[in-house]
Structure formats: structure tokens, C-alpha cells
Amino acid sequence: MSIAVYVFVMAGVTYLIRAVPFTLFRKKVTSPFFRSLLHYIPYAVLSAMTIPAIFTSTGNVLTSLAGTAVALVLAYLGKPLIVVALAGSAAALLAGFLI
Amino acid sequence: MNKPFFRGLRDGIPIALGYFSVSFGFGILCINLGLSVLAAAGISLTNLTSAGQVAGVRIIAAGGTLIEMALTQLVINLRYSLFAISLSQKLDSSFTTPHRIAASFGITDEIFAVTYAQEGKVKPAYMYGVILISALGWVGGTALGAAMGQILPEMVSSAMGIMLYCMFLAIFVPPARKDRGVLMAVIVAALCSILFNTVLTFVSGGFAVIISALVSAALCALLFPVAEEEEAAA
């Protein structure tokens, strides 16, 4: 299948998710369950996407583990996104030279 | 001179810088997955979303179905609907329907956060300013990352494959540390995802993420319902 078709579907769905409520919605979400579900979904999605994919993200488990460990510590300390992302990559690169 | 527009550009500079470095990693990921520079930049220009794009290019690389693509984007990006609803309550009266149709394209986590934090009502020009500079950073970083990915040594480009995942850690670890509900959502989703990757491998990647996230978020919504004020601050 052509990549353009995938991109069209991907962009179309993403746009409608934003545009439909932004254009039409004028009330608040009142259902506590639905509100809570929307609150937890971003974190659950990011976690499911990251684990276990991060452990093979460099193509090598050892360098991936080195990057993950450094990123995890910095993320736990609340460092900015860019710092965590760059330090994780740098740690994976460094580990690659050492192995 | 249109003041709200320039104020938007200024407020968007930190977003653009952050997007640039992260989308650089996305560009490299695209090249590693066999996509072209043009496809990578095209995806960033038309989608303007990080997690959804990473999941999307994985589905493209794996030759997944269009249904899988649509459902994956729906679940991963569903939070934008919540942002859109929140933001719709804060719009200036000059924010007419055509402006809403145009500006909704740029509702991302960071653009929402900056725009929503504004004092008073939000004008269309302000939001366009924030979106324009942020999108420049996002698309520019992707194109440069993809182009560099083709010339960078294999060792460097593969090490950069971890960059976006590290950023995801930086997004969900700090709130998980403070909030039991988020911690549980993160742990349950990770366990489900591991289960799909090791035992239930017949389920494709996109669906594995959707199911893991929905099961985990629904469980946490039942066990740790969010109070109104908390949700507004998130």
C-alpha cells in the first residue's frame, strides 16, 4: 500500500479528533468515569508504547538498557524533556563505544 | 502590526526548540524504518503529534491495515478532544467557526498548555502565532533528522533511536511519582504491553497499544476517579 494512503488516514483521523470537538463543543464533560478515562489515557498510551520497545530501540539490548537507565533516573528527578532525551541517547552511544 | 500574533510567536519559541530536538529523533526513526526524508517531513507537517506519529510509522513499516492505523490514532490522540473541549471554553468572541476549523489543527499537548495558561480570552491570531513557530520547529527538526540519518554513522543514528522513548519517560515518570492513579495506569499498561510482546504476539503492535491503554485507563478510572479541579490542572 502507498505511504500516502497511510499518511492521509493518519492525518485525517488526527485532525478530526481535534477539529470536531473544538468547532462543535460548547459544554463540559460531566461523566466522572469518562473524564477520568481521558485523564489516564495519555500516560497509559505512552507507557505501553515505551515498554518494552525502549529496550530494543537502538538495535542492541545492552546499549538500550544503558540509555533507559540514565533517562529513567533523570525523568524521576523531573529534568526537562530535552535533557532526558539527549542524555538517554548519549548514554546509549557511549555504551556502544564501550562494548 | 498584529500584537497577539507576535506574542504567540514569542510564547511558542520554547515549544519550537523542544520540538526541534525531539522531531530530529523522529526523523532518524523514520529513516531507520525505511521511510524517505519527504515522507518523514510530510507526516510531521500533516499530523503535528509525537506519540501518534511514532505509532503511525511503526504501523507503516510493519505493513499494518488502515483500520489499525485509524483506531491507533484515535486512541492515542483522543486526549486532544479533551484539550479542544477545555480550550473551547476560553475562546474570544472573534474565534469564529472558520478560525476554529483552522486553529484546531495545532492543538498539541504543549500548544494547548501554553494557550490555556493565557490570562483572559484567547484570540485566533495568538494561537496562530504559537502554532506557526511550533510547527516550524517540528517539521524542520524532522526533515533535518531524516536527512542526517542518511549520512550519520550507523552507531550514532541507532543510538538516537532511543531519543523519543526517553522523552516519553520524561513525560509520564514525574506525574507517576506524584499520583497513585497515574502510577497504576503506567504499570498496568506496561505489563499488558509486555504480555502482548511476549505471549500474545499474534496481536499487531497498534492494537496491542490500544488494548493495553484502554484496559489500564478504564481500570484506573474506576479505582482512582479524577476530581474536577485535578483534571483542569492536568
Side-chain angles (χ1 to χ4, degrees), chain A residues 3 6 14-15 17-19 22 27-28 35-36 39-40 44 47-52 57-58 76 96, chain B residues 35 47-48 58 64 77 81 89 100-101 104-105 107 155 158 162 168 177 186 189 193 224 226 228 231:
Chain A
I3 287 182
Y6 279 116
T14 304
Y15 175 70
I17 289 166
R18 292 162 162 157
F22 198 58
K27 286 182 190 166
K28 274 208 93 172
R35 267 211 333 264
S36 303
H39 173 73
Y40 288 122
S47 173
M49 284 188 58
T50 306
I51 301 163
S57 59
T58 65
Y76 188 81
Chain B
L35 295 176
N47 284 267
L48 204 67
R58 281 206 219 151
N77 293 331
S81 292
Q89 326 270 316
R100 287 177 186 237
I101 288 171
S104 60
F105 172 76
I107 300 173
M155 211 168 175
S158 62
I162 201 172
F168 293 160
R177 196 184 155 182
V186 162
S193 175
F224 306 97
V226 182
E228 186 117 10
E231 179 254 335

mmCIF file of all heavy atoms in Angstrom, chain A residues 3 6 14-15 17-19 22 27-28 35-36 39-40 44 47-52 57-58 76 96, chain B residues 35 47-48 58 64 77 81 89 100-101 104-105 107 155 158 162 168 177 186 189 193 224 226 228 231:
data_model
loop_
_atom_site.group_PDB
_atom_site.id
_atom_site.type_symbol
_atom_site.label_atom_id
_atom_site.label_comp_id
_atom_site.label_asym_id
_atom_site.label_seq_id
_atom_site.Cartn_x
_atom_site.Cartn_y
_atom_site.Cartn_z
ATOM 1 N N ILE A 3 2.427 4.785 0.862
ATOM 2 C CA ILE A 3 2.604 5.509 2.127
ATOM 3 C C ILE A 3 1.631 6.678 2.207
ATOM 4 O O ILE A 3 1.109 7.002 3.261
ATOM 5 C CB ILE A 3 4.067 5.991 2.266
ATOM 6 C CG1 ILE A 3 4.960 4.786 2.560
ATOM 7 C CG2 ILE A 3 4.208 7.029 3.365
ATOM 8 C CD1 ILE A 3 6.413 5.126 2.754
ATOM 9 N N TYR A 6 -1.628 5.766 3.890
ATOM 10 C CA TYR A 6 -1.463 5.683 5.347
ATOM 11 C C TYR A 6 -1.443 7.081 5.969
ATOM 12 O O TYR A 6 -2.101 7.346 6.962
ATOM 13 C CB TYR A 6 -0.134 5.008 5.696
ATOM 14 C CG TYR A 6 -0.123 3.510 5.646
ATOM 15 C CD1 TYR A 6 0.672 2.831 4.735
ATOM 16 C CD2 TYR A 6 -0.878 2.757 6.550
ATOM 17 C CE1 TYR A 6 0.724 1.451 4.708
ATOM 18 C CE2 TYR A 6 -0.839 1.380 6.526
ATOM 19 C CZ TYR A 6 -0.030 0.727 5.608
ATOM 20 O OH TYR A 6 0.021 -0.628 5.591
ATOM 21 N N THR A 14 -6.437 12.212 12.979
ATOM 22 C CA THR A 14 -5.864 13.105 13.990
ATOM 23 C C THR A 14 -6.493 14.494 13.919
ATOM 24 O O THR A 14 -6.808 15.101 14.942
ATOM 25 C CB THR A 14 -4.329 13.197 13.813
ATOM 26 O OG1 THR A 14 -3.796 11.872 13.858
ATOM 27 C CG2 THR A 14 -3.686 14.023 14.906
ATOM 28 N N TYR A 15 -6.717 14.973 12.675
ATOM 29 C CA TYR A 15 -7.325 16.301 12.526
ATOM 30 C C TYR A 15 -8.765 16.322 13.045
ATOM 31 O O TYR A 15 -9.167 17.226 13.777
ATOM 32 C CB TYR A 15 -7.286 16.764 11.060
ATOM 33 C CG TYR A 15 -8.019 18.071 10.862
ATOM 34 C CD1 TYR A 15 -7.496 19.252 11.370
ATOM 35 C CD2 TYR A 15 -9.253 18.114 10.214
ATOM 36 C CE1 TYR A 15 -8.179 20.448 11.237
ATOM 37 C CE2 TYR A 15 -9.947 19.308 10.072
ATOM 38 C CZ TYR A 15 -9.398 20.478 10.588
ATOM 39 O OH TYR A 15 -10.084 21.646 10.472
ATOM 40 N N ILE A 17 -10.181 14.459 15.269
ATOM 41 C CA ILE A 17 -10.206 14.359 16.736
ATOM 42 C C ILE A 17 -10.097 15.753 17.360
ATOM 43 O O ILE A 17 -10.711 16.060 18.369
ATOM 44 C CB ILE A 17 -9.031 13.484 17.229
ATOM 45 C CG1 ILE A 17 -9.268 12.030 16.865
ATOM 46 C CG2 ILE A 17 -8.825 13.641 18.725
ATOM 47 C CD1 ILE A 17 -8.034 11.168 17.016
ATOM 48 N N ARG A 18 -9.313 16.620 16.714
ATOM 49 C CA ARG A 18 -9.122 17.977 17.229
ATOM 50 C C ARG A 18 -10.245 18.907 16.786
ATOM 51 O O ARG A 18 -10.781 19.675 17.579
ATOM 52 C CB ARG A 18 -7.807 18.552 16.693
ATOM 53 C CG ARG A 18 -6.573 17.873 17.229
ATOM 54 C CD ARG A 18 -5.381 18.178 16.347
ATOM 55 N NE ARG A 18 -4.114 17.923 17.022
ATOM 56 C CZ ARG A 18 -2.980 17.692 16.383
ATOM 57 N NH1 ARG A 18 -2.949 17.687 15.065
ATOM 58 N NH2 ARG A 18 -1.870 17.474 17.045
ATOM 59 N N ALA A 19 -10.565 18.836 15.499
ATOM 60 C CA ALA A 19 -11.457 19.847 14.914
ATOM 61 C C ALA A 19 -12.911 19.681 15.342
ATOM 62 O O ALA A 19 -13.595 20.670 15.605
ATOM 63 C CB ALA A 19 -11.351 19.812 13.392
ATOM 64 N N PHE A 22 -13.495 20.924 18.912
ATOM 65 C CA PHE A 22 -13.105 22.340 19.019
ATOM 66 C C PHE A 22 -14.138 23.230 18.334
ATOM 67 O O PHE A 22 -14.403 24.343 18.767
ATOM 68 C CB PHE A 22 -11.725 22.545 18.377
ATOM 69 C CG PHE A 22 -11.036 23.815 18.788
ATOM 70 C CD1 PHE A 22 -10.778 24.078 20.116
ATOM 71 C CD2 PHE A 22 -10.623 24.739 17.843
ATOM 72 C CE1 PHE A 22 -10.122 25.245 20.503
ATOM 73 C CE2 PHE A 22 -9.967 25.904 18.214
ATOM 74 C CZ PHE A 22 -9.715 26.154 19.545
ATOM 75 N N LYS A 27 -20.073 22.585 25.719
ATOM 76 C CA LYS A 27 -20.392 22.204 27.108
ATOM 77 C C LYS A 27 -19.220 21.476 27.748
ATOM 78 O O LYS A 27 -18.242 21.156 27.103
ATOM 79 C CB LYS A 27 -21.617 21.269 27.119
ATOM 80 C CG LYS A 27 -22.933 21.967 26.836
ATOM 81 C CD LYS A 27 -24.061 20.942 26.936
ATOM 82 C CE LYS A 27 -25.373 21.507 26.425
ATOM 83 N NZ LYS A 27 -26.357 20.433 26.215
ATOM 84 N N LYS A 28 -19.329 21.151 29.025
ATOM 85 C CA LYS A 28 -18.284 20.402 29.736
ATOM 86 C C LYS A 28 -18.618 18.920 29.794
ATOM 87 O O LYS A 28 -19.789 18.538 29.833
ATOM 88 C CB LYS A 28 -18.137 20.927 31.169
ATOM 89 C CG LYS A 28 -17.202 22.106 31.277
ATOM 90 C CD LYS A 28 -16.545 22.172 32.641
ATOM 91 C CE LYS A 28 -15.226 21.457 32.647
ATOM 92 N NZ LYS A 28 -14.469 21.638 33.879
ATOM 93 N N ARG A 35 -14.378 11.404 32.164
ATOM 94 C CA ARG A 35 -13.337 12.401 32.445
ATOM 95 C C ARG A 35 -12.062 11.741 32.945
ATOM 96 O O ARG A 35 -10.956 12.072 32.529
ATOM 97 C CB ARG A 35 -13.831 13.392 33.508
ATOM 98 C CG ARG A 35 -14.473 14.634 32.960
ATOM 99 C CD ARG A 35 -14.237 15.835 33.892
ATOM 100 N NE ARG A 35 -14.049 15.459 35.269
ATOM 101 C CZ ARG A 35 -15.011 15.458 36.195
ATOM 102 N NH1 ARG A 35 -16.222 15.829 35.870
ATOM 103 N NH2 ARG A 35 -14.745 15.101 37.427
ATOM 104 N N SER A 36 -12.231 10.770 33.867
ATOM 105 C CA SER A 36 -11.070 10.076 34.425
ATOM 106 C C SER A 36 -10.367 9.263 33.347
ATOM 107 O O SER A 36 -9.135 9.230 33.276
ATOM 108 C CB SER A 36 -11.502 9.156 35.564
ATOM 109 O OG SER A 36 -12.180 9.886 36.548
ATOM 110 N N HIS A 39 -8.292 11.381 31.336
ATOM 111 C CA HIS A 39 -7.136 11.832 32.120
ATOM 112 C C HIS A 39 -6.013 10.792 32.099
ATOM 113 O O HIS A 39 -4.836 11.146 31.972
ATOM 114 C CB HIS A 39 -7.576 12.100 33.554
ATOM 115 C CG HIS A 39 -6.453 12.410 34.505
ATOM 116 N ND1 HIS A 39 -5.780 13.605 34.492
ATOM 117 C CD2 HIS A 39 -5.870 11.661 35.467
ATOM 118 C CE1 HIS A 39 -4.834 13.581 35.420
ATOM 119 N NE2 HIS A 39 -4.869 12.401 36.027
ATOM 120 N N TYR A 40 -6.374 9.508 32.211
ATOM 121 C CA TYR A 40 -5.349 8.463 32.312
ATOM 122 C C TYR A 40 -4.824 7.981 30.960
ATOM 123 O O TYR A 40 -3.705 7.463 30.884
ATOM 124 C CB TYR A 40 -5.893 7.266 33.102
ATOM 125 C CG TYR A 40 -6.045 7.560 34.576
ATOM 126 C CD1 TYR A 40 -7.279 7.448 35.215
ATOM 127 C CD2 TYR A 40 -4.949 7.964 35.330
ATOM 128 C CE1 TYR A 40 -7.420 7.733 36.569
ATOM 129 C CE2 TYR A 40 -5.076 8.258 36.673
ATOM 130 C CZ TYR A 40 -6.311 8.132 37.290
ATOM 131 O OH TYR A 40 -6.430 8.421 38.615
ATOM 132 N N ALA A 44 -1.142 6.076 29.969
ATOM 133 C CA ALA A 44 -1.200 4.648 29.661
ATOM 134 C C ALA A 44 -0.666 4.383 28.249
ATOM 135 O O ALA A 44 0.089 3.435 28.024
ATOM 136 C CB ALA A 44 -2.641 4.145 29.797
ATOM 137 N N SER A 47 3.154 4.795 28.188
ATOM 138 C CA SER A 47 3.801 3.673 28.863
ATOM 139 C C SER A 47 3.781 2.425 27.979
ATOM 140 O O SER A 47 4.810 1.763 27.804
ATOM 141 C CB SER A 47 3.086 3.398 30.189
ATOM 142 O OG SER A 47 3.590 2.235 30.778
ATOM 143 N N ALA A 48 2.622 2.119 27.384
ATOM 144 C CA ALA A 48 2.514 0.926 26.535
ATOM 145 C C ALA A 48 3.394 1.041 25.296
ATOM 146 O O ALA A 48 3.930 0.045 24.797
ATOM 147 C CB ALA A 48 1.055 0.706 26.126
ATOM 148 N N MET A 49 3.582 2.276 24.795
ATOM 149 C CA MET A 49 4.435 2.465 23.617
ATOM 150 C C MET A 49 5.913 2.370 23.960
ATOM 151 O O MET A 49 6.726 1.973 23.142
ATOM 152 C CB MET A 49 4.169 3.836 22.987
ATOM 153 C CG MET A 49 2.878 3.865 22.208
ATOM 154 S SD MET A 49 2.712 5.390 21.319
ATOM 155 C CE MET A 49 4.171 5.328 20.340
ATOM 156 N N THR A 50 6.248 2.776 25.181
ATOM 157 C CA THR A 50 7.657 2.827 25.576
ATOM 158 C C THR A 50 8.164 1.467 26.038
ATOM 159 O O THR A 50 9.294 1.079 25.722
ATOM 160 C CB THR A 50 7.837 3.861 26.713
ATOM 161 O OG1 THR A 50 7.285 5.099 26.285
ATOM 162 C CG2 THR A 50 9.295 4.035 27.064
ATOM 163 N N ILE A 51 7.301 0.753 26.791
ATOM 164 C CA ILE A 51 7.715 -0.532 27.352
ATOM 165 C C ILE A 51 6.973 -1.646 26.619
ATOM 166 O O ILE A 51 5.748 -1.580 26.536
ATOM 167 C CB ILE A 51 7.415 -0.578 28.870
ATOM 168 C CG1 ILE A 51 8.177 0.566 29.552
ATOM 169 C CG2 ILE A 51 7.784 -1.934 29.464
ATOM 170 C CD1 ILE A 51 7.672 0.881 30.940
ATOM 171 N N PRO A 52 7.642 -2.622 26.059
ATOM 172 C CA PRO A 52 9.076 -2.890 26.117
ATOM 173 C C PRO A 52 9.890 -2.331 24.940
ATOM 174 O O PRO A 52 11.083 -2.613 24.870
ATOM 175 C CB PRO A 52 9.120 -4.417 26.078
ATOM 176 C CG PRO A 52 7.962 -4.792 25.201
ATOM 177 C CD PRO A 52 6.910 -3.733 25.429
ATOM 178 N N SER A 57 15.293 -0.349 21.267
ATOM 179 C CA SER A 57 15.187 0.822 20.396
ATOM 180 C C SER A 57 16.486 1.180 19.684
ATOM 181 O O SER A 57 16.460 1.890 18.685
ATOM 182 C CB SER A 57 14.686 2.023 21.196
ATOM 183 O OG SER A 57 15.569 2.290 22.251
ATOM 184 N N THR A 58 17.630 0.723 20.179
ATOM 185 C CA THR A 58 18.885 1.047 19.489
ATOM 186 C C THR A 58 19.351 -0.131 18.636
ATOM 187 O O THR A 58 20.381 -0.063 17.984
ATOM 188 C CB THR A 58 20.011 1.382 20.490
ATOM 189 O OG1 THR A 58 20.289 0.197 21.259
ATOM 190 C CG2 THR A 58 19.609 2.501 21.423
ATOM 191 N N TYR A 76 12.925 10.724 36.625
ATOM 192 C CA TYR A 76 12.474 10.648 38.019
ATOM 193 C C TYR A 76 12.812 11.929 38.764
ATOM 194 O O TYR A 76 12.055 12.403 39.602
ATOM 195 C CB TYR A 76 13.117 9.440 38.704
ATOM 196 C CG TYR A 76 12.561 9.169 40.080
ATOM 197 C CD1 TYR A 76 11.354 8.483 40.236
ATOM 198 C CD2 TYR A 76 13.233 9.603 41.228
ATOM 199 C CE1 TYR A 76 10.829 8.252 41.496
ATOM 200 C CE2 TYR A 76 12.714 9.362 42.489
ATOM 201 C CZ TYR A 76 11.514 8.687 42.627
ATOM 202 O OH TYR A 76 10.991 8.454 43.871
ATOM 203 N N GLY A 96 27.701 2.000 23.473
ATOM 204 C CA GLY A 96 28.065 1.345 22.221
ATOM 205 C C GLY A 96 29.568 1.338 21.980
ATOM 206 O O GLY A 96 30.127 0.382 21.469
ATOM 207 N N LEU B 35 11.659 4.793 5.719
ATOM 208 C CA LEU B 35 10.879 5.843 5.054
ATOM 209 C C LEU B 35 11.823 6.891 4.454
ATOM 210 O O LEU B 35 12.973 7.005 4.860
ATOM 211 C CB LEU B 35 9.936 6.518 6.051
ATOM 212 C CG LEU B 35 8.833 5.649 6.644
ATOM 213 C CD1 LEU B 35 8.041 6.424 7.683
ATOM 214 C CD2 LEU B 35 7.895 5.159 5.552
ATOM 215 N N ASN B 47 0.496 15.927 10.599
ATOM 216 C CA ASN B 47 -0.007 15.359 11.850
ATOM 217 C C ASN B 47 0.264 16.201 13.097
ATOM 218 O O ASN B 47 -0.594 16.304 13.962
ATOM 219 C CB ASN B 47 0.575 13.956 12.069
ATOM 220 C CG ASN B 47 -0.101 12.933 11.192
ATOM 221 O OD1 ASN B 47 -1.049 12.282 11.586
ATOM 222 N ND2 ASN B 47 0.378 12.807 9.956
ATOM 223 N N LEU B 48 1.480 16.746 13.191
ATOM 224 C CA LEU B 48 1.859 17.574 14.336
ATOM 225 C C LEU B 48 1.511 16.907 15.670
ATOM 226 O O LEU B 48 0.772 17.450 16.491
ATOM 227 C CB LEU B 48 1.156 18.943 14.229
ATOM 228 C CG LEU B 48 1.814 20.104 14.964
ATOM 229 C CD1 LEU B 48 3.153 20.442 14.339
ATOM 230 C CD2 LEU B 48 0.931 21.350 14.942
ATOM 231 N N ARG B 58 5.431 3.093 12.774
ATOM 232 C CA ARG B 58 5.639 1.672 13.080
ATOM 233 C C ARG B 58 4.633 0.822 12.311
ATOM 234 O O ARG B 58 4.964 -0.253 11.810
ATOM 235 C CB ARG B 58 5.455 1.429 14.581
ATOM 236 C CG ARG B 58 6.645 1.812 15.428
ATOM 237 C CD ARG B 58 6.591 0.959 16.688
ATOM 238 N NE ARG B 58 6.972 1.688 17.864
ATOM 239 C CZ ARG B 58 6.499 1.405 19.093
ATOM 240 N NH1 ARG B 58 5.590 0.458 19.257
ATOM 241 N NH2 ARG B 58 6.922 2.061 20.130
ATOM 242 N N GLY B 64 0.822 -2.607 8.372
ATOM 243 C CA GLY B 64 -0.464 -2.805 9.049
ATOM 244 C C GLY B 64 -1.645 -2.358 8.210
ATOM 245 O O GLY B 64 -1.473 -1.813 7.116
ATOM 246 N N ASN B 77 -4.551 9.787 20.249
ATOM 247 C CA ASN B 77 -4.756 11.234 20.168
ATOM 248 C C ASN B 77 -6.078 11.706 20.764
ATOM 249 O O ASN B 77 -6.406 12.879 20.681
ATOM 250 C CB ASN B 77 -4.644 11.696 18.710
ATOM 251 C CG ASN B 77 -3.223 11.532 18.190
ATOM 252 O OD1 ASN B 77 -2.273 11.595 18.957
ATOM 253 N ND2 ASN B 77 -3.094 11.296 16.896
ATOM 254 N N SER B 81 -9.089 15.746 22.052
ATOM 255 C CA SER B 81 -10.507 16.111 22.139
ATOM 256 C C SER B 81 -10.780 16.785 23.466
ATOM 257 O O SER B 81 -11.509 17.775 23.543
ATOM 258 C CB SER B 81 -11.395 14.874 22.015
ATOM 259 O OG SER B 81 -11.314 14.356 20.712
ATOM 260 N N GLN B 89 -13.793 26.604 25.856
ATOM 261 C CA GLN B 89 -14.469 27.419 26.868
ATOM 262 C C GLN B 89 -13.753 28.765 27.074
ATOM 263 O O GLN B 89 -14.261 29.637 27.744
ATOM 264 C CB GLN B 89 -14.489 26.689 28.217
ATOM 265 C CG GLN B 89 -14.616 25.192 28.151
ATOM 266 C CD GLN B 89 -16.043 24.708 28.173
ATOM 267 O OE1 GLN B 89 -16.841 25.190 28.959
ATOM 268 N NE2 GLN B 89 -16.385 23.782 27.302
ATOM 269 N N ARG B 100 -11.924 28.379 14.189
ATOM 270 C CA ARG B 100 -11.855 27.129 14.974
ATOM 271 C C ARG B 100 -11.426 25.974 14.089
ATOM 272 O O ARG B 100 -10.599 25.151 14.482
ATOM 273 C CB ARG B 100 -13.229 26.811 15.586
ATOM 274 C CG ARG B 100 -13.595 27.721 16.744
ATOM 275 C CD ARG B 100 -14.996 27.402 17.249
ATOM 276 N NE ARG B 100 -15.413 28.364 18.261
ATOM 277 C CZ ARG B 100 -15.793 28.025 19.491
ATOM 278 N NH1 ARG B 100 -15.842 26.765 19.850
ATOM 279 N NH2 ARG B 100 -16.163 28.937 20.352
ATOM 280 N N ILE B 101 -11.972 25.927 12.872
ATOM 281 C CA ILE B 101 -11.637 24.844 11.945
ATOM 282 C C ILE B 101 -10.145 24.887 11.605
ATOM 283 O O ILE B 101 -9.485 23.855 11.518
ATOM 284 C CB ILE B 101 -12.509 24.948 10.664
ATOM 285 C CG1 ILE B 101 -13.959 24.556 10.991
ATOM 286 C CG2 ILE B 101 -11.955 24.069 9.538
ATOM 287 C CD1 ILE B 101 -14.956 24.826 9.887
ATOM 288 N N SER B 104 -7.742 24.430 15.119
ATOM 289 C CA SER B 104 -7.810 23.128 15.790
ATOM 290 C C SER B 104 -6.680 22.215 15.333
ATOM 291 O O SER B 104 -6.245 21.337 16.076
ATOM 292 C CB SER B 104 -9.164 22.456 15.523
ATOM 293 O OG SER B 104 -9.336 22.254 14.137
ATOM 294 N N PHE B 105 -6.172 22.451 14.110
ATOM 295 C CA PHE B 105 -5.073 21.652 13.570
ATOM 296 C C PHE B 105 -3.873 21.645 14.520
ATOM 297 O O PHE B 105 -3.141 20.660 14.621
ATOM 298 C CB PHE B 105 -4.644 22.210 12.203
ATOM 299 C CG PHE B 105 -3.396 21.584 11.662
ATOM 300 C CD1 PHE B 105 -3.435 20.316 11.109
ATOM 301 C CD2 PHE B 105 -2.180 22.248 11.729
ATOM 302 C CE1 PHE B 105 -2.282 19.724 10.627
ATOM 303 C CE2 PHE B 105 -1.018 21.658 11.252
ATOM 304 C CZ PHE B 105 -1.081 20.388 10.700
ATOM 305 N N ILE B 107 -3.724 21.844 17.916
ATOM 306 C CA ILE B 107 -3.902 21.502 19.328
ATOM 307 C C ILE B 107 -2.999 20.318 19.686
ATOM 308 O O ILE B 107 -3.286 19.185 19.330
ATOM 309 C CB ILE B 107 -5.376 21.171 19.648
ATOM 310 C CG1 ILE B 107 -6.265 22.382 19.344
ATOM 311 C CG2 ILE B 107 -5.523 20.752 21.117
ATOM 312 C CD1 ILE B 107 -7.749 22.087 19.471
ATOM 313 N N MET B 155 26.275 3.910 14.084
ATOM 314 C CA MET B 155 26.320 3.859 15.543
ATOM 315 C C MET B 155 25.556 5.022 16.177
ATOM 316 O O MET B 155 24.849 4.868 17.163
ATOM 317 C CB MET B 155 27.781 3.927 15.968
ATOM 318 C CG MET B 155 28.049 3.181 17.230
ATOM 319 S SD MET B 155 29.816 3.033 17.431
ATOM 320 C CE MET B 155 29.826 2.278 19.028
ATOM 321 N N SER B 158 21.641 4.824 15.339
ATOM 322 C CA SER B 158 20.916 3.814 16.121
ATOM 323 C C SER B 158 20.802 4.238 17.582
ATOM 324 O O SER B 158 19.778 4.009 18.221
ATOM 325 C CB SER B 158 21.558 2.429 15.986
ATOM 326 O OG SER B 158 22.859 2.449 16.470
ATOM 327 N N ILE B 162 16.626 5.812 20.465
ATOM 328 C CA ILE B 162 16.055 5.731 21.807
ATOM 329 C C ILE B 162 15.504 7.081 22.262
ATOM 330 O O ILE B 162 14.766 7.168 23.244
ATOM 331 C CB ILE B 162 17.129 5.230 22.815
ATOM 332 C CG1 ILE B 162 16.459 4.640 24.066
ATOM 333 C CG2 ILE B 162 18.095 6.336 23.201
ATOM 334 C CD1 ILE B 162 17.444 3.960 25.022
ATOM 335 N N PHE B 168 9.329 10.189 26.170
ATOM 336 C CA PHE B 168 8.078 9.668 26.730
ATOM 337 C C PHE B 168 8.254 9.387 28.227
ATOM 338 O O PHE B 168 7.373 9.704 29.030
ATOM 339 C CB PHE B 168 7.651 8.381 26.006
ATOM 340 C CG PHE B 168 7.244 8.586 24.568
ATOM 341 C CD1 PHE B 168 7.227 7.522 23.673
ATOM 342 C CD2 PHE B 168 6.865 9.836 24.100
ATOM 343 C CE1 PHE B 168 6.850 7.698 22.349
ATOM 344 C CE2 PHE B 168 6.496 10.028 22.772
ATOM 345 C CZ PHE B 168 6.487 8.953 21.897
ATOM 346 N N ARG B 177 5.109 9.603 39.707
ATOM 347 C CA ARG B 177 5.753 9.689 41.005
ATOM 348 C C ARG B 177 4.842 10.381 42.012
ATOM 349 O O ARG B 177 4.867 10.085 43.208
ATOM 350 C CB ARG B 177 7.037 10.509 40.810
ATOM 351 C CG ARG B 177 8.008 10.399 41.934
ATOM 352 C CD ARG B 177 9.176 11.328 41.682
ATOM 353 N NE ARG B 177 9.776 11.681 42.951
ATOM 354 C CZ ARG B 177 10.796 12.508 43.080
ATOM 355 N NH1 ARG B 177 11.321 13.089 42.017
ATOM 356 N NH2 ARG B 177 11.284 12.781 44.267
ATOM 357 N N VAL B 186 0.327 3.578 34.434
ATOM 358 C CA VAL B 186 1.602 3.332 33.747
ATOM 359 C C VAL B 186 2.043 1.880 33.919
ATOM 360 O O VAL B 186 2.441 1.217 32.956
ATOM 361 C CB VAL B 186 2.679 4.312 34.306
ATOM 362 C CG1 VAL B 186 4.066 3.846 33.969
ATOM 363 C CG2 VAL B 186 2.425 5.719 33.770
ATOM 364 N N ALA B 189 -0.435 -0.623 32.096
ATOM 365 C CA ALA B 189 -0.263 -0.520 30.641
ATOM 366 C C ALA B 189 1.040 -1.188 30.204
ATOM 367 O O ALA B 189 1.082 -1.896 29.188
ATOM 368 C CB ALA B 189 -0.282 0.947 30.206
ATOM 369 N N SER B 193 1.391 -4.427 27.801
ATOM 370 C CA SER B 193 2.199 -4.296 26.594
ATOM 371 C C SER B 193 3.264 -5.391 26.525
ATOM 372 O O SER B 193 3.512 -5.965 25.459
ATOM 373 C CB SER B 193 2.841 -2.905 26.589
ATOM 374 O OG SER B 193 3.714 -2.774 25.514
ATOM 375 N N PHE B 224 -9.440 4.986 40.737
ATOM 376 C CA PHE B 224 -8.998 6.320 41.161
ATOM 377 C C PHE B 224 -9.678 7.398 40.313
ATOM 378 O O PHE B 224 -9.031 8.023 39.486
ATOM 379 C CB PHE B 224 -7.478 6.470 41.000
ATOM 380 C CG PHE B 224 -6.658 5.419 41.681
ATOM 381 C CD1 PHE B 224 -6.182 4.325 40.970
ATOM 382 C CD2 PHE B 224 -6.347 5.512 43.037
ATOM 383 C CE1 PHE B 224 -5.410 3.358 41.597
ATOM 384 C CE2 PHE B 224 -5.582 4.542 43.667
ATOM 385 C CZ PHE B 224 -5.117 3.460 42.951
ATOM 386 N N VAL B 226 -10.944 10.838 38.900
ATOM 387 C CA VAL B 226 -10.288 12.139 38.997
ATOM 388 C C VAL B 226 -11.296 13.206 39.391
ATOM 389 O O VAL B 226 -12.381 13.284 38.813
ATOM 390 C CB VAL B 226 -9.660 12.511 37.642
ATOM 391 C CG1 VAL B 226 -8.928 13.837 37.731
ATOM 392 C CG2 VAL B 226 -8.713 11.421 37.184
ATOM 393 N N GLU B 228 -12.745 17.069 39.695
ATOM 394 C CA GLU B 228 -12.852 18.106 38.664
ATOM 395 C C GLU B 228 -11.646 19.031 38.597
ATOM 396 O O GLU B 228 -11.111 19.283 37.537
ATOM 397 C CB GLU B 228 -14.113 18.927 38.908
ATOM 398 C CG GLU B 228 -14.415 19.954 37.836
ATOM 399 C CD GLU B 228 -15.734 19.647 37.150
ATOM 400 O OE1 GLU B 228 -16.468 18.773 37.629
ATOM 401 O OE2 GLU B 228 -16.030 20.270 36.139
ATOM 402 N N GLU B 231 -8.424 17.480 37.118
ATOM 403 C CA GLU B 231 -8.479 17.285 35.676
ATOM 404 C C GLU B 231 -8.201 18.595 34.952
ATOM 405 O O GLU B 231 -7.514 18.642 33.938
ATOM 406 C CB GLU B 231 -9.859 16.719 35.308
ATOM 407 C CG GLU B 231 -10.072 16.474 33.831
ATOM 408 C CD GLU B 231 -10.985 17.494 33.209
ATOM 409 O OE1 GLU B 231 -11.800 18.083 33.931
ATOM 410 O OE2 GLU B 231 -10.854 17.730 32.020
#
